């Protein structure tokens, strides 16, 4: 390959990346206006100032377009989760700190959070995302799951891979529930009493961790603990 050809290819690559970033910013702006269900390739192309052919060439379909619009949010979220977990060496406190950081991020970035975790949307294959599925450095769920693996390694809970995923998902469902309900039922809503936010978050995480430690205990040799019907190995 000649130097001129290499320069041309690099220029095209940069142009393509610039277009992708612009299109993704348009998608995020449209989501804020009407939600993911209002996104169409034609509408995105019109707002971005490109032809539908260019948008299809860069993203292939609507599902991939929306998936890649979520990448930046997922990377930001895992970053704040990791930073929070690093504040302590205690494995239980790591999970609690991570939960607090997750909730704070969601409430501070309501539109981005809603797109990723609260919007009905078409789903693209995991390969379509820039975020690598299962990579604890990029995938927020994978990072949360790694904390429960560490919890088991420290002898605080027990269970096979399925049970560790169950712990992770119960934890995630708890922190997501608090985040999402606060985004939907804001200060103007009068249906539920308003609680002290920090006390509420602390109590939720205390209850979640106490429940998980009790439900998935390490059984001492010679001691039998009868599991509930739903979590038998």
């Amino acid at each position: 390959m000649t130097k001129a050809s290499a320069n041309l290819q690099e220029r095209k690559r940069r142009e393509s990346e610039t277009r992708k970033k612009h299109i993704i910013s348009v998608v995020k702006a449209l989501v804020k206006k009407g939600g993911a269900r209002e996104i169409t390739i034609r509408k995105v192309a019109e707002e971005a100032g490109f032809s539908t052919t260019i948008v299809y060439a860069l993203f292939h379909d609507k599902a991939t377009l929306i998936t890649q619009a979520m990448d930046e949010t997922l990377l930001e979220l895992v970053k704040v989760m990791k930073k929070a977990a690093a504040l302590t060496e205690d494995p239980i406190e790591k999970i609690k700190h991570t939960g607090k950081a997750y909730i704070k991020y969601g409430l501070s970035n309501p539109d981005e959070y809603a797109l990723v975790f609260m919007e009905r949307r078409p789903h693209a294959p995991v390969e379509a995302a820039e975020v690598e599925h299962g990579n604890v450095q990029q995938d927020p769920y994978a990072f949360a799951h790694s904390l429960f693996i560490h919890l088991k390694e420290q002898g605080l809970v027990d269970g096979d891979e399925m049970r560790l995923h169950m712990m992770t998902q119960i934890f995630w469902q708890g922190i997501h529930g608090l985040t999402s309900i606060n985004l939907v039922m804001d200060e103007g809503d009068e249906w539920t009493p308003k609680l002290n936010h920090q006390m509420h978050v602390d109590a939720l995480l205390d209850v979640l961790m106490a429940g998980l430690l009790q439900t998935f205990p390490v059984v001492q040799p010679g001691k039998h603990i009868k599991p509930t019907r739903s979590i038998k190995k």
Side-chain angles (χ1 to χ4, degrees):
M1 181 185 295
T2 66
K3 184 176 180 179
S5 297
N7 288 340
L8 178 60
Q9 285 194 0
E10 177 61 19
R11 187 163 61 250
K12 287 183 176 180
R13 186 193 66 78
R14 289 198 302 266
E15 182 181 86
S16 176
E17 287 301 313
T18 299
R19 286 178 170 180
K20 287 182 72 172
K21 288 180 180 179
H22 177 56
I23 291 169
I24 286 174
S25 69
V26 167
V27 172
K28 290 180 177 180
L30 288 173
V31 167
K32 288 184 179 182
K33 290 181 181 179
R37 282 170 286 183
E38 297 299 315
I39 297 295
T40 66
I41 294 291
R42 183 176 297 278
K43 185 180 292 185
V44 170
E46 289 175 353
E47 290 289 328
F50 297 131
S51 68
T52 55
T53 302
I54 288 176
V55 177
Y56 274 115
L58 292 172
F59 295 97
H60 307 300
D61 54 32
K62 174 180 173 178
T64 299
L65 179 60
I66 294 175
T67 295
Q68 293 193 15
M70 300 188 305
D71 283 332
E72 183 179 353
T73 297
L74 291 172
L75 291 171
E76 288 178 351
L77 177 57
V78 78
K79 183 178 179 180
V80 300
M81 291 168 69
K82 288 176 59 183
K83 184 177 180 180
L87 294 173
T88 178
E89 293 300 318
D90 183 288
I92 295 175
E93 291 301 313
K94 276 183 178 292
I95 296 174
K96 289 183 179 180
H97 281 307
T98 299
K100 292 175 186 178
Y102 176 104
I103 293 167
K104 182 178 180 180
Y105 179 85
L107 297 180
S108 300
N109 300 273
D111 294 314
E112 291 80 1
Y113 185 87
L115 172 60
V116 177
F117 297 113
M118 297 172 66
E119 284 274 2
R120 294 182 63 185
R121 62 182 186 276
H123 292 281
V126 293
E127 295 81 10
E130 297 292 332
V131 169
E132 182 182 359
H133 177 250
N135 183 339
V136 297
Q137 304 300 323
Q138 300 181 11
D139 180 343
Y141 178 83
F143 177 72
H145 184 56
S146 74
L147 297 178
F148 283 91
I149 293 174
H150 182 57
L151 201 65
K152 178 183 177 179
E153 291 171 347
Q154 295 299 304
L156 296 170
V157 294
D158 194 21
D160 57 15
E161 184 67 7
M162 183 276 291
R163 288 160 70 88
L164 286 168
H165 276 295
M166 190 179 295
M167 295 178 217
T168 307
Q169 292 185 29
I170 290 170
F171 166 72
W172 196 289
Q173 288 154 4
I175 58 177
H176 167 69
L178 189 150
T179 304
S180 60
I181 202 166
N182 273 275
L183 290 178
V184 174
M185 302 178 75
D186 60 16
E187 292 299 324
D189 190 282
E190 299 180 356
W191 287 94
T192 55
K194 299 307 171 193
L195 306 175
N196 178 286
H197 176 71
Q198 195 55 57
M199 289 179 63
H200 191 184
V201 171
D202 289 341
L204 171 72
L205 290 165
D206 286 344
V207 169
L208 283 173
M209 293 311 299
L212 289 169
L213 292 172
Q214 181 177 349
T215 305
F216 302 91
V218 175
V219 180
Q220 300 299 322
K223 184 177 180 181
H224 176 69
I225 297 179
K226 185 178 180 181
T228 63
R229 184 180 303 274
S230 61
I231 61 168
K232 288 182 179 178
K233 292 183 179 179

